[in-house]
């Protein structure tokens, strides 16, 4: 019962929203949260920015109208955004991600949340 | 016992028989040169002048000490390539001005060029003299302005050279046709033989400097008769897009920095390039005040810069401003690198104002000073005919810094 409760907390769309927004990536001057990167690049209509914002909106929508499928789709779109973002990074920044413990921690956190959401869908009991 | 003795003798003879005669390094060099130089040139080598480093070997000719042999050595000691160079010129405020002649070891593929402001201009087919110098500028051939081929260092952190004399350094990547690292430079003066690697570590990752020790160096040059300049430079995140605030691929927002420059009547130079940075924490992205640091910005890229001549007293005012601002907190929207650079620049009497822009997601009602705003202002001034503005076509690199003085 307690395990289910914890699972529900960590797989809640709010948690998904927060962990995605709070992903930290190294920058030229200072580390940057992913939400800020999306904000700074949305005007350029880059794929990762559009998909990132879309993922956030769908996750928020899944809270409002309580549709798990929306959370799922949002999660997939978020991963697409992340992959597109990391793909276009310079080798220096990619290397810096590996060397930055905060970056690694936030990336691991989001990965864990994603895996828990998948786990809950296929193996968890409905709350 | 007999068998043991026999085996030992056999083994010894095998080893000595199979071992190649190992040439002494100098001998290997001479052997190489004997195959690649003309007999006259080979006979003219001043063997006593040979100096080696981990990457290069250099020698002079006996009959012409100004003409040098530069050989590129691989890690395992093999000689890969060589050139004969003849370079002459002078160093002024804008850098190295002169001429260079380069040929292969057999004197083929002779190449001559003017050097202007450190850049080796288009090759000319006839021998070059300074009187026939064209008006070409470095931007004419600079599709991707990298560090100048010939840079001047007032001092360099090198234990072999006298730091008081300005030296010129020739880019070995250019000389050897791309076979050497871009950051290897050959000293053109002095008695040293080795090349030096320009430190291209990202300034943002560098340690904080002691700004006072950097500024104290200017006291080594008396104010009387000194020539002083101050330069403000801007590096926008995407070279071709001054309208872009952020380069997502590099996490870059751009940078602005200052060069302080002072020269004595006898040519002694002290130059310091400095920039203002946050200490790297993601707290800086939140718009809060964070601890700052001043970093050496030697060789930092710039897209536009503006230089003004100032009096020693004005330079001193700028130096004092640096000392004052050294401990200011960094704030992305209200006191960033551009604010620092502008404040120091204007302390020297520049009176430069730039357009302020809104940083996305930061709610400043008046906007912020940004590298983009500085760039747009300098481009406007350059277009209006201000000769102190330099844009170098696409981008350039700042010069070296003197470093700290005790």
């Amino acid at each position: 019962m307690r395990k289910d409760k914890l699972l529900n907390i960590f797989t809640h769309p709010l948690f998904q929203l927060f962990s995605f927004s709070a992903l930290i990536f190294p920058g030229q001057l200072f580390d940057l949260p992913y939400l800020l990167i999306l904000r700074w690049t949305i005007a350029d209509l880059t794929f990762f920015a559009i998909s990132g914002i879309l993922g956030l909106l769908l996750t928020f929508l899944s809270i409002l109208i309580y549709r798990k499928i929306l959370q799922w789709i949002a999660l997939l779109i978020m991963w697409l955004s992340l992959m597109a973002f990391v793909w276009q990074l310079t080798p220096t920044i990619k290397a810096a991600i590996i060397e930055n413990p905060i970056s690694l921690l936030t990336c691991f956190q989001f990965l864990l949340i994603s895996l828990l959401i998948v786990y809950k869908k296929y193996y968890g009991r409905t709350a | 016992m007999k068998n043991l003795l026999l085996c030992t003798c056999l083994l010894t003879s095998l080893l000595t028989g199979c071992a190649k005669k190992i040439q002494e390094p100098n001998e290997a060099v001479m052997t190489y040169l004997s195959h690649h130089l003309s007999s006259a040139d080979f006979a003219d080598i001043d063997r006593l002048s040979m100096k080696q480093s981990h990457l290069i070997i250099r020698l002079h000719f006996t009959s012409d000490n100004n003409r040098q042999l530069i050989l590129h050595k691989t890690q395992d000691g093999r000689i890969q390539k060589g050139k004969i160079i003849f370079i002459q010129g002078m160093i002024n405020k804008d850098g190295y001005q002169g001429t260079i002649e380069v040929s292969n070891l057999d004197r083929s593929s002779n190449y001559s060029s003017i050097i202007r402001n450190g850049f080796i201009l288009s090759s000319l087919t006839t021998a070059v003299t300074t009187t026939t110098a064209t008006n070409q500028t470095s931007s004419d051939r600079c599709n991707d302005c990298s560090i100048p081929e010939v840079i001047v260092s007032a001092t360099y952190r090198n234990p072999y050279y006298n730091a008081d004399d300005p030296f010129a350094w020739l880019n070995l990547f250019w000389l050897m046709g791309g076979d050497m690292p871009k950051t290897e430079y050959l000293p053109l003066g002095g008695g040293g033989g080795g090349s030096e690697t320009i430190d291209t570590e990202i300034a943002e990752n560098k340690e904080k400097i002691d700004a006072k020790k950097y500024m104290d160096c200017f006291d080594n040059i008396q104010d009387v008769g000194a020539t002083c300049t101050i330069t403000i430079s801007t590096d926008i995140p995407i070279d071709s897009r001054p309208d872009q605030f952020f380069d997502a691929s590099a996490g870059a927002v751009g940078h602005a920095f200052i060069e302080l420059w002072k020269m004595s009547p006898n040519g002694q130079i002290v130059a310091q390039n400095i920039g203002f940075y946050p200490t790297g924490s993601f707290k800086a992205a939140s718009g809060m005040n964070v601890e700052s640091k001043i970093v050496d910005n030697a060789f930092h890229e710039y897209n536009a810069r503006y230089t003004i001549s100032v009096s020693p007293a004005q330079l001193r005012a700028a130096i004092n401003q640096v000392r004052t601002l050294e401990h200011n907190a960094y704030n992305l929207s209200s006191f960033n690198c551009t604010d620092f650079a502008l404040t120091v620049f204007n302390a020297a009497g520049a009176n430069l104002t730039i357009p302020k822009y809104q940083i996305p997601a930061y709610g400043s009602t008046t906007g912020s000073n940004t590298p983009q705003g500085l760039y747009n202002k300098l481009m406007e001034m350059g277009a209006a005919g201000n000769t102190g503005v330099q844009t170098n076509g696409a981008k350039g690199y700042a010069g070296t810094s003197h470093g700290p003085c005790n």
Side-chain angles (χ1 to χ4, degrees):
Chain A
M1 191 66 184
R2 195 174 171 186
K3 196 171 135 187
D4 282 344
K5 206 169 177 182
L6 277 173
L7 188 63
N8 287 336
I9 292 169
F10 286 119
T11 58
H12 195 279
L14 270 177
F15 219 95
Q16 180 181 332
L17 261 177
F18 173 77
S19 65
F20 181 71
S21 304
L23 282 162
I24 301 290
F25 291 99
Q28 183 195 38
L29 294 186
F30 41 77
D31 298 342
L32 296 156
Y34 196 52
L35 185 61
L36 188 62
I37 293 172
L38 295 177
R39 174 65 184 88
W40 281 355
T41 52
I42 190 64
D44 304 328
L45 299 177
T46 54
F47 174 78
F48 70 82
I50 294 170
S51 50
I53 298 290
L54 185 62
L56 287 168
L57 287 172
L58 283 176
T59 308
F60 188 64
L61 198 62
S62 76
I63 299 170
L64 292 178
I65 60 174
Y66 196 67
R67 287 283 185 268
K68 289 290 180 194
I69 187 75
L70 276 179
Q71 185 187 8
W72 255 95
I73 294 168
L75 185 67
L76 281 169
I77 292 173
M78 282 174 172
W79 273 102
L80 275 175
S81 170
L82 279 176
M83 285 193 293
F85 173 69
V86 172
W87 180 264
Q88 55 89 47
L89 288 175
T90 62
T92 308
I93 300 296
K94 280 178 187 164
I97 293 172
I98 310 245
E99 290 164 10
N100 186 325
I102 295 176
S103 252
L104 284 177
L105 193 67
T106 56
C107 290
F108 177 72
Q109 180 200 241
F110 184 68
L111 177 64
L112 189 64
I113 300 295
S114 305
L115 290 172
L116 285 174
I117 292 171
V118 171
Y119 174 83
K120 185 182 171 183
K121 179 173 171 58
Y122 288 103
Y123 303 105
R125 292 192 319 186
T126 309
Chain B
M1 183 65 184
K2 208 195 306 183
N3 285 339
L4 181 63
L5 197 59
L6 190 63
C7 284
T8 309
C9 289
L10 194 63
L11 202 59
T12 310
S13 62
L14 270 173
L15 284 171
T16 52
C18 293
K20 285 185 184 176
K21 182 171 181 295
I22 299 170
Q23 282 185 312
E24 289 298 320
N26 290 357
E27 200 180 321
V29 172
M30 290 301 133
T31 304
Y32 178 87
L33 289 175
S34 69
H35 293 316
H36 290 83
L37 289 174
S38 68
S39 49
D41 278 339
F42 184 70
D44 196 26
I45 294 171
D46 179 1
R47 297 185 185 209
L48 295 177
S49 68
M50 183 160 74
K51 288 183 168 57
Q52 299 193 51
S53 71
H54 65 296
L55 280 180
I56 61 155
I57 299 167
R58 69 193 291 180
L59 298 109
H60 294 273
F61 288 102
T62 311
S63 63
D64 183 357
N65 202 43
N66 291 321
R67 208 167 286 271
Q68 305 179 46
L69 275 167
I70 309 295
L71 304 175
H72 176 206
K73 199 171 65 168
T74 58
Q75 298 283 4
D76 57 0
R78 285 182 304 108
I79 297 169
Q80 189 168 329
K81 190 184 273 192
K83 296 283 184 185
I84 299 174
I85 69 167
F86 173 74
I87 184 167
Q88 61 177 357
M90 55 162 283
I91 298 165
N92 66 16
K93 188 174 69 61
D94 296 318
Y96 193 89
Q97 323 294 335
T99 58
I100 185 168
E101 291 172 29
V102 179
S103 72
N104 292 333
L105 294 178
D106 60 1
R107 300 280 184 158
S108 66
S109 301
N110 207 20
Y111 169 95
S112 306
S113 182
I114 296 165
I115 304 169
R116 176 170 283 118
N117 299 344
F119 287 95
I120 295 177
L121 303 188
S122 304
S123 61
L124 305 174
T125 54
T126 55
V128 176
T129 65
T130 53
T131 55
T132 60
T134 68
N135 288 325
Q136 284 177 301
T137 61
S138 58
S139 62
D140 291 353
R141 58 169 290 281
C142 191
N143 294 323
D144 177 23
C145 283
S146 49
I147 299 173
E149 288 91 355
V150 183
I151 65 166
V152 173
S153 168
T155 60
Y156 201 80
R157 293 189 199 93
N158 185 312
Y160 301 110
Y161 301 118
N162 184 342
D164 292 335
D165 298 326
F167 280 118
W169 304 73
L170 177 66
N171 183 257
L172 285 166
F173 173 83
W174 170 84
L175 180 67
M176 294 299 176
D179 287 341
M180 292 191 72
K182 278 187 180 180
T183 54
E184 287 298 316
Y185 277 76
L186 180 79
L188 294 175
S195 62
E196 285 297 326
T197 303
I198 300 299
D199 187 356
T200 57
E201 181 189 353
I202 301 170
E204 291 76 5
N205 293 335
K206 283 188 175 177
E207 291 297 314
K208 173 180 177 173
I209 62 169
D210 185 335
K212 181 185 180 304
K213 286 188 177 175
Y214 267 62
M215 297 300 107
D216 283 348
C217 296
F218 292 100
D219 295 335
N220 295 340
I221 297 178
Q222 286 191 354
D223 285 357
V224 176
T227 306
C228 306
T229 65
I230 184 167
T231 302
I232 187 168
S233 303
T234 177
D235 170 24
I236 54 176
I238 303 174
D239 295 335
S240 56
R241 299 282 308 274
D243 57 319
Q244 291 283 76
F245 168 73
F246 180 64
D247 177 8
S249 66
V253 293
H255 185 52
F257 60 99
I258 282 286
E259 184 202 35
L260 303 162
W261 192 92
K262 189 176 185 182
M263 185 172 77
S264 70
N266 64 1
Q268 184 189 0
I269 297 170
V270 170
Q272 304 284 30
N273 288 273
I274 54 171
F276 187 70
Y277 292 84
T279 49
S281 156
F282 64 85
K283 206 173 147 197
S286 65
M288 297 164 66
N289 285 352
V290 296
E291 194 183 328
S292 67
K293 62 180 178 180
I294 290 183
V295 169
D296 190 333
N297 275 167
F299 307 117
H300 199 290
E301 181 188 321
Y302 68 86
N303 299 101
R305 65 180 184 178
Y306 177 37
T307 302
I308 57 171
S309 294
V310 296
S311 67
Q314 288 172 316
L315 188 76
R316 191 151 299 282
I319 289 167
N320 289 338
Q321 191 65 258
V322 170
R323 289 179 175 138
T324 304
L325 296 174
E326 184 185 3
H327 302 292
N328 256 40
Y330 180 98
N331 186 293
L332 184 64
S333 61
S334 62
F335 198 81
N336 56 40
C337 58
T338 311
D339 293 292
F340 173 85
L342 273 173
T343 307
V344 173
F345 193 66
N346 288 334
N351 200 27
L352 177 70
T353 55
I354 67 172
K356 291 194 176 189
Y357 298 139
Q358 198 69 39
I359 297 176
Y362 290 87
S364 168
T365 53
T366 54
S368 304
N369 287 319
T370 61
Q372 291 81 359
L374 178 57
Y375 177 85
N376 287 333
K377 176 68 177 186
L378 295 187
M379 291 299 280
E380 188 187 304
M381 290 167 62
N386 190 314
T387 55
V389 173
Q390 193 178 341
T391 56
N392 269 24
K395 63 185 177 187
Y397 287 82
T400 186
S401 289
H402 184 287
C405 295
N406 292 322

